[in-house]
Amino acid sequence: KIFVTKIYGNPFVHQRTIIYHPWNLILHNRSCLGDRSVAYALDVIELQENSVVAQEVYLCTATHDFKDETMPLKTDKIIIGKNSFIGARAFIMHGIKTGDNSIIGACSTVTKNVPNNSIAYGNPAKIKPYL
């Protein structure tokens, strides 16, 4: 059971999705990892119910501490909220939580948490509530 992803309900993972450390991946009912998306799960990545990660999205749970000359690895989890949509080629950084019912625009770089019922887009992503 070393390589077991935690699966609840019926998620969908595209056949060309790349998953590093699948034991850190949690997929809930009707969540989706799209074509050529990457789950770089050195820490936990959780896709909550009905969340969609579109094609070529990169979910990156790791970075390096560049303030330290030895540049040690730092990791932190990523949580994609319920009913959320992550647009194609977006980059989600370590430690990010996207709120429920959030939308991330295509090609956006998300460096801050996204609240519930919000849209984030751009590089770095700007966050706006939606009507």
Side-chain angles (χ1 to χ4, degrees):
K1 291 194 174 195
I2 292 174
F3 298 107
V4 177
T5 296
K6 293 171 191 73
I7 297 174
Y8 303 98
N10 294 304
F12 175 78
V13 177
H14 193 279
Q15 65 186 2
R16 292 187 291 195
T17 295
I18 298 169
I19 301 170
Y20 294 88
H21 299 176
W23 52 89
N24 283 332
L25 185 60
I26 304 169
L27 300 172
H28 291 273
N29 194 42
R30 297 180 55 95
S31 61
C32 172
L33 279 170
D35 188 20
R36 296 182 310 275
S37 61
V38 176
Y40 191 61
L42 298 186
D43 207 315
V44 170
I45 295 175
E46 182 173 2
L47 275 63
Q48 296 181 342
E49 292 85 2
N50 302 310
S51 60
V52 174
V53 172
Q55 65 273 20
E56 299 181 14
V57 169
Y58 203 107
L59 304 171
C60 187
T61 61
T63 189
H64 293 274
D65 182 356
F66 296 106
K67 294 177 184 173
D68 183 331
E69 65 184 35
T70 64
M71 293 190 291
L73 187 69
K74 296 181 354 179
T75 68
D76 202 354
K77 65 185 171 185
I78 293 172
I79 299 173
I80 306 300
K82 296 177 184 176
N83 307 307
S84 293
F85 180 82
I86 312 299
R89 295 189 173 178
F91 187 93
I92 311 297
M93 299 205 40
H94 68 288
I96 297 298
K97 181 178 191 307
T98 66
D100 296 345
N101 310 304
S102 61
I103 299 169
I104 308 300
C107 300
S108 296
T109 301
V110 181
T111 61
K112 295 180 182 175
N113 289 336
V114 178
N116 294 341
N117 307 307
S118 295
I119 297 173
Y121 55 90
N123 183 3
K126 295 180 182 176
I127 300 168
K128 305 219 180 221
Y130 61 83
L131 306 174

